[in-house]
Amino acid sequence: MAAPMLRGCCLGRCWALACIDSGSRHGRGAATGFTCSGKRGQSFVAQQPLLTAQKSRKGEHKWAAVVGLEIHAQIASNSKLFSGSQVHFAAPPNSLVSFFDASLPGTLPVLNRRCVEAAVMTGLALNCHINKKSLFDRKHYFYADLPAGYQITQQRLPIAVNGSLAYSVCVGKKWRQVITKTVRIKQIQLEQDSGKSLHDELRSQTLINLNRAGVGLLEVVLEPDMSCGEEAATAVRELQLILQALGTSQANMAEGQLRVDANISVHHPGEPLGVRTEVKNLNSARFLARAIDYEIQRQINELENGCEILNETRSFDYKLGFMPEPNLPPLLLYDTASLPAGADPQQVINIDRIREQLPELPSETREKLIQQYGILPEHSFALLNEVGLLEFFQNVIKETRAEPKKVTSWVLNIFLGFLKQRNLAVNESPVTPSVLAELLNLLDRKVISSAAAKQVFEELWRSKGKTPSQIVSERKLELMQDEEALERVCHTVMEGHPQVVMDMKRGNPRAINKLIGLVRKVTHNRADPTVIKEILEKQLSS
Amino acid sequence: MLGRTLQEVSAALKQGQITPVELCQKCLSLIKKTKFLNAYITISEEVALKQAEESEKRYKKGHSLGALDGIPVAVKDNFSTSGIETTCASNMLKGYVPPYNATVVQRLLDQGAVLMGKTNLDEFAMGSGSTDGVFGPVKNPWSYSKQYREKRKQKPHGENEDSNWLITGGSSGGSAAAVSAFTCFAALGSDTGGSTRNPAAHCGIVGFKPSYGLVSRHGLIPLVNSMDVPGILTRCVDDAATVLGVLAGHDPKDSTTIQDPGKPFMLSSLTDVSKLCIGIPKEYLVPELSSEVRSFWSKAANLFESEGAKVIEVSLPHTSYSIVCYHVLCTSEVASNMARFDGLEYGHRCDIDVSTEAMYAATRREGFNDVVRGRILTGNFFLLKENYANYFIKAQKVRRLIANDFVNVFNSGVDVLLTPTTLSEAVPYLEFIKEDNRTRSAQDDIFTQAVNMAGLPAVSVPVALSNQGLPVGLQFIGRAFCDQQLLTVAKWFEKQVQFPVIQLQELMDDCSSVFEIEKLASVSLKQ
């Protein structure tokens, strides 16, 4: 649940485990003793469930880690879960606070229909059973950024249960083998976000911002079916893509729209599970895998040193219990079969209608890409991994006759490389899909060589507004179409390098490449190497 | 003019016999004269006069808004009133000025009602005497009535007569006293376990608790959300129906209000009760019931029977568990509801700032009285993880049994239940405070509490004066959302019994003497 972080006033208590945020602990979070590493920053990873402690010697039995996740996704909605306040990330402090959000006495919660629909849609996308009746509860604890002293959540009977999330890990040489894994989803519940506390240690005061207080959250509880940080990170990444595809959450981790708590234990395979610990408020994809792996390693080290694992977070779980929220009647949902006759569509939610509105999910999109364009599975992951990249790719495809594989290679290697180098998002690129499409057309029609195409691409980046054709003609980058002129160049080069010609005649296969290189140099890369090769071979045999 | 009912004075305003401003000024002047009753915490004189002027303009143009236009009303100080301090009679909310109106307040104002002020109560409505608020106890106007005084003169008694003033009952005692003493024509109370009906019975007026879900709770500072209902205190049943007509109906700000659009509650005059079936729950005949109240109760039953109604004994077998069940549910919700009073966003905040926890603790210690703190502590005990199933869950199950008792009785053909409202007439303050708040609440809510558990409508109607010259009320309980039927029966009964009007002429004519007496009384109390 959205438990806020330790506050300054709680001196004497501390999270024994790192609260991995803003990089406070991540520096030493990197595990050293076991490997479960994939290509960082990618959504498909290697997976090695059996871990070995750094100090363990050969022959000692291995450790297995068990990782479960609680993920909080802020619902993308105009207003909060129970009040009419607007939801914005960067509004001035306390500018989005209704009387209810500030817990003024006498105010009552009014459930936001949009949030319920988002929960149902997410539940359906995650293969959950949607409960036609769910209940709201109060969870009590005293925190300055929880004005009512309790959070309204769904503890007893949540809106969705028993789902699953499939995610893919790449294994094998060059990560070419894609394995699909599944993590069970225990439940999805609707609940309120808390406000934010800002601790001014110098003046020993706490500043409260209630803009976030009462924003709708989807708490997605993943069963402990994962075995390392990378698996967890991959599952989270897949969930993030699903939420974004559904539009139910923007799921931007940097803006706190997606926050992850992990519970972790280690044990020897075949033996009972170990004691769990929790790593809270992981709000960056980068630290998620690292923090989990660090904790796994820490537990292994503790156990190997003969120490016990204590569930440290539980020791100051001084919350009071739950109580039914008396101001909200049970949340009733319907399907087409159970819809009461003559019901006001504004007053009821039809699960079947939401099912019909489900958009294409990332796994389906990737499958389509593979089928339609014949691209590699890992390329389908890469295309979905960057916001807007898939759309960019598809727009390029629409306007070019170049092969999809060629387009994929250009988009994923050259285009994405440029963006990453400059730390830009896809929508910030000066090169539009149609410009890239035009460039690829020039390449496809053999107007330019691929080396020249790269040169043009670089030029496009610098001089916005110019078309590829303009650059090609300005820089005289067209391939030489005049075969006679090219024959003359080839002839001159051969005459100037009799030794190389001799080598060639003696059957050295690499000699012709040297000649091709020399011809290209003379033509400033404007000659097509295959054409040069043909001419050279013709001239040699004549 | 002030002694009239709401309907009568509304007619007088329409006919121009009096103007809204004149009426408002008369009430304000009486409020000041009867200040010693301590019925009001805040007198909103300026606002009231302004509203009365607006109303007067409307009457002059012939565009009055309806039956409530220009009618002075009072509101219990646990309803949020925009721009007017709302204290719940607690240090915690002293100085708290809500930025919004409770829906019921807004609906009254939208109909042109004139808000005279905010009335006194037990702190956060926790009590049955209106004696446990930070602004002191409310005095029952009947203490100063001719009827009561004459009876007392006949009896020899040693103690100082005027230190022996009576409590109003509670927790809406301020509202009951305000209506009873003619300082307004209707008042809002709240009713969680009987807080509207109990003081209405002690003050000789009508106290109506509507069905749960019929009237919005938005803006009512909660005691127990699942039982709280805004109550209506008036001088007659018709007036209660008029006010209910304005208040009832769906409120988008309260998800527990029913969706059906509200209908105007116009009561027909029942002439024939022969088709009625009146149930007399046998479990309500408890040893603590005073013989006088018991006798009025059976007289009332006889009255119905003699007029042709079917009167039968019925059983509500789980009644005896009601009090302990209520205790668990009430304190648990109180613990939860009171968690928001931490001194951060509004209300009292202590000076201690060594840590947030220390600030919370001191703020809440200074802000709440013993009763509130006791209930919070108890409630938190019941909500502890290890106790939850043993107490809260069990209490919820018992609550369901209690509610089912009523369902069974009504399904058996009973239209309305007839019960006492209180064990006896109002007792003197000095008598009342011999027992603590918890004991008192448990005793006094005995006939009223179960109704809140079941969410049913109930109304206390004054029947007659006791031997001491004090009012006694009887309670009618109706089927859920059959509020109109309930009030129709209550109206018939009211007409039959002809309850006498309180005689406060002395008080109104010569308040100075009362003030003198009060000074003496307070001096003697200090000794």
Side-chain angles (χ1 to χ4, degrees):
Chain A
M1 340 259 145
M5 302 298 299
L6 175 71
R7 48 243 331 108
C9 56
C10 305
L11 293 175
R13 294 198 186 96
C14 71
W15 298 92
L17 287 181
C19 304
I20 309 283
D21 72 342
S22 64
S24 56
R25 286 279 294 268
H26 68 88
R28 47 201 187 97
T32 51
F34 70 98
T35 50
C36 185
S37 56
K39 294 193 273 181
R40 278 256 35 100
Q42 301 216 6
S43 77
F44 38 94
V45 293
Q47 185 266 331
Q48 278 176 275
L50 296 183
L51 314 164
T52 320
Q54 190 172 25
K55 289 174 188 168
S56 71
R57 290 172 296 272
K58 258 190 179 173
E60 280 188 25
H61 53 192
K62 294 188 166 183
W63 293 100
V66 175
V67 180
L69 300 174
E70 275 181 21
I71 300 165
H72 291 97
Q74 259 185 20
I75 299 170
S77 62
N78 295 328
S79 57
K80 295 184 180 179
L81 182 55
F82 296 120
S83 78
S85 301
Q86 299 245 300
V87 177
H88 278 301
F89 173 63
N94 295 312
S95 63
L96 307 175
V97 185
S98 70
F99 301 149
F100 175 78
D101 305 328
S103 78
L104 290 199
T107 53
L108 299 169
V110 179
L111 184 57
N112 180 343
R113 180 192 178 91
R114 156 71 189 157
C115 294
V116 177
E117 288 171 338
V120 171
M121 185 174 262
T122 306
L124 291 173
L126 296 174
N127 313 301
C128 289
H129 168 75
I130 307 294
N131 281 325
K132 286 187 187 155
K133 178 185 173 184
S134 60
L135 301 171
F136 289 96
D137 302 284
R138 293 177 177 181
K139 180 187 179 183
H140 299 90
Y141 50 92
F142 275 104
Y143 275 153
D145 47 26
L146 187 75
Y150 55 81
Q151 173 197 37
I152 303 178
T153 177
Q154 294 194 297
Q155 188 249 349
R156 290 168 299 165
L157 195 52
I159 191 162
V161 292
N162 298 338
S164 63
L165 169 67
Y167 61 99
S168 294
V169 289
C170 290
V171 294
K173 272 186 185 171
K174 294 186 176 178
W175 318 105
R176 280 288 161 85
Q177 198 188 340
V178 176
I179 295 178
T180 301
K181 300 205 154 212
T182 304
V183 50
R184 290 167 299 151
I185 288 168
K186 188 178 176 221
Q187 65 186 54
I188 300 175
Q189 62 198 47
L190 279 165
E191 63 182 33
Q192 296 173 296
D193 209 341
S194 61
K196 281 181 180 171
S197 297
L198 203 74
H199 305 297
D200 181 348
E201 304 287 346
L202 209 64
R203 295 176 191 80
S204 72
Q205 59 181 8
T206 301
L207 303 170
I208 311 289
N209 180 0
L210 294 181
N211 281 354
R212 203 182 67 178
V215 170
L217 292 179
L218 295 174
E219 178 176 309
V220 185
V221 182
L222 303 192
E223 297 278 16
D225 296 341
M226 293 150 287
S227 55
C228 66
E230 291 293 352
E231 276 190 10
T234 311
V236 168
R237 177 65 184 134
E238 187 66 14
L239 178 64
Q240 190 179 28
L241 288 173
I242 290 171
L243 295 171
Q244 286 165 348
L246 298 173
T248 54
S249 173
Q250 289 174 301
N252 181 338
M253 289 188 99
E255 293 187 1
Q257 288 149 349
L258 195 73
R259 306 190 285 274
V260 182
D261 298 345
N263 53 73
I264 297 154
S265 69
V266 299
H267 67 129
H268 294 303
E271 291 178 14
L273 295 181
V275 176
R276 293 188 334 181
T277 60
E278 283 142 35
V279 182
K280 293 225 168 206
N281 263 20
L282 298 162
N283 50 13
S284 137
R286 265 177 66 214
F287 302 139
L288 174 63
R290 273 208 232 167
I292 291 171
D293 288 344
Y294 174 84
E295 174 58 16
I296 291 170
Q297 190 60 48
R298 188 192 71 85
Q299 289 190 14
I300 292 170
N301 292 345
E302 293 280 318
L303 292 168
E304 300 237 322
N305 290 330
C307 301
E308 268 182 72
I309 304 295
L310 301 172
N311 188 336
E312 285 106 338
T313 46
R314 188 175 290 167
S315 64
F316 55 100
D317 184 10
Y318 54 95
K319 289 169 288 221
L320 293 166
F322 290 85
M323 194 190 84
E325 168 55 65
N327 295 317
L328 290 166
L331 169 56
L332 300 180
L333 305 173
Y334 300 90
D335 53 25
T336 306
S338 67
L339 200 65
D344 177 1
Q346 287 306 306
Q347 294 295 333
V348 294
I349 288 179
N350 183 341
I351 300 166
D352 291 332
R353 285 292 306 278
I354 295 175
R355 200 192 309 273
E356 288 160 18
Q357 291 161 11
L358 274 180
E360 188 177 279
L361 296 177
S363 57
E364 297 165 346
T365 311
R366 285 190 286 253
E367 192 51 40
K368 266 193 184 171
L369 286 171
I370 294 166
Q371 296 296 327
Q372 202 173 339
Y373 303 121
I375 64 174
L376 292 170
E378 65 261 39
H379 288 164
S380 72
F381 279 95
L383 281 175
L384 263 71
N385 224 358
E386 210 63 45
V387 179
L389 192 62
L390 176 65
E391 199 190 350
F392 188 95
F393 169 79
Q394 285 169 331
N395 286 336
V396 175
I397 288 264
K398 260 185 236 162
E399 297 186 37
T400 182
R401 281 172 299 174
E403 283 285 300
K405 276 187 181 174
K406 193 83 177 167
V407 178
T408 312
S409 155
W410 267 80
V411 167
L412 288 182
N413 297 325
I414 299 165
F415 175 69
L416 196 55
F418 264 75
L419 288 178
K420 294 271 169 194
Q421 245 176 30
R422 289 158 182 80
N423 211 8
L424 291 176
V426 174
N427 62 4
E428 292 169 316
S429 160
V431 177
T432 63
S434 38
V435 167
L436 182 57
E438 189 192 335
L439 178 61
L440 293 178
N441 280 341
L442 294 176
L443 186 62
D444 190 59
R445 294 204 324 262
K446 297 193 190 300
V447 175
I448 50 174
S449 68
S450 74
K454 280 171 196 162
Q455 216 180 316
V456 174
F457 187 79
E458 269 181 62
E459 192 68 31
L460 284 170
W461 211 270
R462 266 176 271 134
S463 45
K464 210 180 166 184
K466 283 191 185 168
T467 67
S469 309
Q470 278 174 331
I471 295 169
V472 167
S473 71
E474 272 173 30
R475 303 257 158 171
K476 297 192 170 54
L477 292 170
E478 305 96 334
L479 282 175
M480 288 177 68
Q481 305 294 340
D482 183 348
E483 203 152 317
E484 277 178 29
L486 191 55
E487 280 173 6
R488 282 197 296 277
V489 174
C490 287
H491 191 75
T492 315
V493 168
M494 283 168 75
E495 275 185 350
H497 298 84
Q499 190 58 47
V500 183
V501 177
M502 281 301 287
D503 287 352
M504 230 171 78
K505 281 184 174 163
R506 281 191 199 121
N508 183 345
R510 275 180 296 181
I512 194 162
N513 291 340
K514 180 144 193 195
L515 284 179
I516 294 170
L518 289 165
V519 174
R520 291 185 68 193
K521 207 172 169 186
V522 174
T523 59
H524 304 284
N525 280 338
R526 288 170 56 216
D528 185 343
T530 50
V531 179
I532 299 170
K533 196 177 175 191
E534 277 169 26
I535 294 171
L536 287 172
E537 281 169 346
K538 200 171 76 186
Q539 290 189 351
L540 277 168
S541 58
S542 62
Chain B
M1 188 62 71
L2 295 188
R4 298 187 186 190
T5 67
L6 190 157
Q7 282 197 336
E8 289 162 357
V9 83
S10 184
L13 283 169
K14 263 188 203 118
Q15 288 156 18
Q17 290 169 14
I18 189 168
T19 71
V21 174
E22 284 165 7
L23 188 60
C24 179
Q25 281 165 339
K26 274 180 191 286
C27 283
L28 282 170
S29 129
L30 190 55
I31 288 171
K32 284 171 196 164
K33 281 182 191 169
T34 57
K35 212 167 162 90
F36 63 90
L37 292 175
N38 208 11
Y40 289 81
I41 292 174
T42 304
I43 303 163
S44 46
E45 182 168 356
E46 272 180 44
V47 176
L49 282 169
K50 214 176 146 200
Q51 287 166 343
E53 280 162 23
E54 294 295 319
S55 171
E56 193 152 324
K57 281 182 204 160
R58 287 192 293 269
Y59 273 104
K60 275 182 184 158
K61 286 182 190 160
H63 296 147
S64 93
L65 294 170
L68 286 187
D69 203 345
I71 304 291
V73 297
V75 171
K76 190 177 180 180
D77 207 23
N78 59 350
F79 287 94
S80 302
T81 42
S82 179
I84 300 171
E85 192 179 349
T86 299
T87 66
C88 286
S90 175
N91 275 326
M92 187 55 93
L93 285 179
K94 260 190 195 170
Y96 167 63
V97 179
Y100 74 102
N101 277 325
T103 297
V104 285
V105 171
Q106 192 60 50
R107 288 189 177 180
L108 288 176
L109 297 181
D110 289 347
Q111 291 298 311
V114 175
L115 178 60
M116 308 309 292
K118 304 295 293 291
T119 58
N120 204 348
L121 66 156
D122 290 298
E123 184 162 332
F124 283 102
M126 295 182 202
S128 59
S130 301
T131 52
D132 280 328
V134 74
F135 299 102
V138 186
K139 293 172 183 172
N140 193 325
W142 285 85
S143 319
Y144 310 96
S145 69
K146 195 177 163 196
Q147 291 104 320
Y148 178 60
R149 298 201 157 209
E150 277 177 357
K151 293 278 183 186
R152 286 194 68 77
K153 273 176 201 156
Q154 294 163 9
K155 290 182 194 166
H157 44 80
E159 78 265 45
N160 184 335
E161 186 182 331
D162 292 297
S163 69
N164 225 13
W165 53 269
L166 309 158
I167 60 143
T168 54
S171 65
S172 310
S175 288
V179 172
S180 171
F182 306 115
T183 63
C184 63
F185 293 86
L188 293 183
S190 61
D191 194 314
T192 310
S195 279
T196 292
R197 289 160 285 160
N198 175 290
H202 286 327
C203 293
I205 59 172
V206 171
F208 175 53
K209 172 218 172 289
S211 297
Y212 185 87
L214 186 63
V215 178
S216 169
R217 292 178 295 115
H218 172 253
L220 166 62
I221 298 176
L223 176 57
V224 185
N225 296 285
S226 62
M227 301 186 206
D228 290 341
V229 176
I232 299 166
L233 297 118
T234 52
R235 290 203 271 275
C236 69
V237 175
D238 264 328
D239 289 355
T242 302
V243 177
L244 180 65
V246 168
L247 302 185
H250 179 65
D251 177 12
K253 290 172 181 158
D254 178 356
S255 308
T256 62
T257 52
I258 50 158
Q259 291 287 339
D260 298 346
K263 294 172 282 185
F265 286 81
M266 289 308 291
L267 299 184
S268 54
S269 289
L270 201 61
T271 48
D272 178 17
V273 294
S274 65
K275 289 193 180 66
L276 271 184
C277 179
I278 307 288
I280 309 291
K282 63 178 182 186
E283 288 81 5
Y284 283 50
L285 188 59
V286 293
E288 297 87 353
L289 183 64
S290 79
S291 57
E292 244 184 319
V293 175
R294 185 180 164 176
S295 130
F296 285 127
W297 184 19
S298 63
K299 272 184 199 161
N302 290 337
L303 171 66
F304 275 100
E305 202 163 43
S306 67
E307 293 295 321
K310 190 175 161 193
V311 179
I312 57 168
E313 186 185 86
V314 296
S315 174
L316 300 167
H318 298 94
T319 302
S320 60
Y321 304 109
S322 164
I323 281 162
V324 63
C325 172
Y326 177 86
H327 178 66
V328 174
L329 295 177
C330 170
T331 54
S332 299
E333 277 203 42
V334 162
S336 176
N337 287 333
M338 294 292 151
R340 69 188 58 216
F341 297 103
D342 56 15
L344 284 182
E345 280 83 14
Y346 43 80
H348 176 70
R349 189 194 293 188
C350 70
D351 298 328
I352 294 166
D353 60 356
V354 290
S355 77
T356 310
E357 271 83 356
M359 192 271 284
Y360 284 162
T363 294
R364 289 164 70 81
R365 189 180 59 242
E366 293 166 12
F368 294 137
N369 70 6
D370 289 349
V371 177
V372 179
R373 284 207 305 276
R375 289 202 195 183
I376 291 172
L377 211 60
T378 315
N380 278 332
F381 173 81
F382 295 138
L383 286 180
L384 284 175
K385 275 174 196 158
E386 61 264 38
N387 293 336
Y388 186 72
N390 273 339
Y391 292 95
F392 191 84
I393 298 281
K394 273 191 188 162
Q396 278 191 312
K397 288 179 181 168
V398 174
R399 179 180 182 173
R400 174 59 59 88
L401 291 174
I402 290 168
N404 284 345
D405 282 353
F406 285 105
V407 172
N408 293 338
V409 162
F410 286 124
N411 282 348
S412 75
V414 170
D415 295 304
V416 169
L417 294 168
L418 172 63
T419 79
T421 310
T422 56
L423 289 167
S424 68
E425 69 269 71
V427 296
Y429 175 72
L430 293 175
E431 187 71 29
F432 186 82
I433 57 170
K434 284 178 184 166
E435 300 277 11
D436 66 15
N437 178 293
R438 174 164 147 56
T439 312
R440 278 296 178 194
S441 299
Q443 288 170 352
D444 296 340
D445 291 349
I446 183 163
F447 301 126
T448 47
Q449 204 172 65
V451 165
N452 295 75
M453 301 244 204
L456 305 174
V459 60
S460 177
V461 181
V463 182
L465 296 183
S466 68
N467 283 334
Q468 286 195 80
L470 292 175
V472 170
L474 289 178
Q475 174 179 240
F476 294 93
I477 304 169
R479 288 192 182 94
F481 299 107
C482 293
D483 300 57
Q484 185 154 355
Q485 183 197 27
L486 173 73
L487 290 178
T488 307
V489 173
K491 181 179 170 181
W492 178 87
F493 181 73
E494 178 187 54
K495 197 179 168 195
Q496 307 301 310
V497 297
Q498 290 293 319
F499 180 74
V501 173
I502 183 172
Q503 289 174 26
L504 285 176
Q505 209 49 50
E506 239 175 288
L507 182 74
M508 290 197 225
D509 289 346
D510 184 15
C511 289
S512 54
S513 66
V514 178
F515 283 126
E516 288 307 312
I517 292 162
E518 284 310 307
K519 272 180 203 161
L520 287 172
S522 60
V523 169
S524 66
L525 271 176
K526 275 173 196 159
Q527 292 166 346

